[in-house]
Amino acid sequence: MHMSFDLAGIWLVVASFLAGALNAVAGGGSFLSFPAILGVGVPPIQANATNTVALWPGQFTSIAAYWEDLKHNLKLIGPLGSAALIGGCAGGLVLLHTGQSTFMKLVPWLLLVAAILFAASGPISRWLNQRGRGVEETEVHPPMLPLFLLMIVVCFYIGYFGAGAGFLIMSLLALFGIQNIHQINALKVVTTTLANGIAVVVFIVRGQVLWQHCLLMMVTAALGGYLGAKGGKRLDPRLARAFVIAIGFSMAGYFFWRNAH
């Protein structure tokens, strides 16, 4: 399948750029990039795999920004990282064994769940900020086995589809006693990066990535992420989040309509 610069191909470039910018400002870039790659005729399984690979480098580079906060919970990185690798690998493998038509029927439901999670993440994040005020940056000792098992479940979703999963990880860590919002964000970034990273390896090894689309998306998403990070400081984050939520529900509605016709 060759890349063609018709209207759908041009939109893929624009959508990838906007996805990178949205991820840098508020998250939710996949709401644009995933439907866009479907729009150029890529089958849904390969579209999801290619989209995951294209956006992953931007996740990886964000770990460095949270290194200082990770130092407070070094003992959690091993178990959470292992859970991320197990869950992400399993989710990626199950995705590749899902039929194209079955996955296409799931797409509107996955987008709807992701949009709901993204909408809920705003109030939850404010609650976590208030809850974590004045909390010292000390190491915590949550019950490891339940946290490990539940993190595998969340990371399975990341490997399978993933949009909106950051909110699930933040909520899970908060429920297990981690109160400092910076520590929560740091552990979230590491966990999602590893879960997506192992899924990326699965997709590449199994030959499910369309590189002619992926490399172009990777470059334009990286450019969008850079410019989004620079310009995002002047943007009201509430407006950005509202925009992403509107896109998420609109895309879910569109695919419900598309599957019904």
Side-chain angles (χ1 to χ4, degrees):
M1 185 179 295
H2 299 288
M3 183 70 187
S4 60
F5 282 94
D6 54 10
L7 187 60
I10 293 171
W11 170 240
L12 178 60
V13 174
V14 174
S16 301
F17 175 84
L18 294 175
L22 281 178
N23 282 341
V25 176
S30 288
F31 287 137
L32 284 174
S33 57
F34 175 63
I37 194 171
L38 281 176
V40 298
V42 177
I45 301 293
Q46 287 73 27
N48 192 41
T50 301
N51 182 65
T52 300
V53 175
L55 298 183
W56 184 75
Q59 288 184 310
F60 179 75
T61 55
S62 63
I63 291 179
Y66 288 101
W67 178 244
E68 288 299 320
D69 296 300
L70 283 173
K71 291 180 180 178
H72 298 286
N73 292 295
L74 289 177
K75 291 183 179 179
L76 292 178
I77 294 178
L80 294 182
S82 300
L85 293 174
I86 294 169
C89 182
L93 290 171
V94 170
L95 171 70
L96 297 185
H97 285 86
T98 303
Q100 297 282 6
S101 60
T102 300
F103 184 70
M104 196 62 201
K105 291 176 182 177
L106 290 174
V107 163
W109 294 102
L110 291 168
L111 288 170
L112 179 62
V113 168
I116 291 171
L117 289 173
F118 203 85
S121 67
I124 293 295
S125 294
R126 288 192 292 272
W127 172 72
L128 289 174
N129 270 308
Q130 293 173 355
R131 183 171 176 259
R133 284 177 185 169
V135 175
E136 296 182 2
E137 295 183 350
T138 56
E139 188 176 344
V140 296
H141 303 278
M144 198 54 65
L145 183 59
L147 177 58
F148 176 78
L149 294 175
L150 288 171
M151 191 61 74
I152 288 177
V153 174
V154 174
C155 291
F156 176 90
Y157 169 71
I158 292 176
Y160 192 85
F161 189 68
F167 158 70
L168 291 176
I169 291 178
M170 291 175 69
S171 301
L172 185 60
L173 293 172
L175 288 173
F176 276 84
I178 302 173
Q179 299 184 46
N180 185 279
I181 187 63
H182 301 297
Q183 294 180 25
I184 288 174
N185 272 322
L187 290 170
K188 177 200 72 174
V189 168
V190 170
T191 307
T192 54
T193 299
L194 288 174
N196 272 318
I198 193 64
V200 162
V201 172
V202 170
F203 298 150
I204 292 174
V205 170
R206 298 292 294 272
Q208 299 300 306
V209 180
L210 301 182
W211 289 105
Q212 67 272 31
H213 298 295
C214 184
L215 293 176
L216 181 62
M217 292 175 69
M218 203 176 286
V219 171
T220 52
L223 179 60
Y226 174 75
L227 295 176
K230 290 193 69 174
K233 296 177 182 178
R234 297 189 294 270
L235 184 66
D236 187 339
R238 292 173 297 180
L239 290 177
R241 292 188 65 81
F243 178 65
V244 172
I245 292 167
I247 291 174
F249 282 111
S250 298
M251 288 298 174
Y254 167 74
F255 281 101
F256 275 117
W257 174 84
R258 176 173 164 176
N259 285 350
H261 291 78

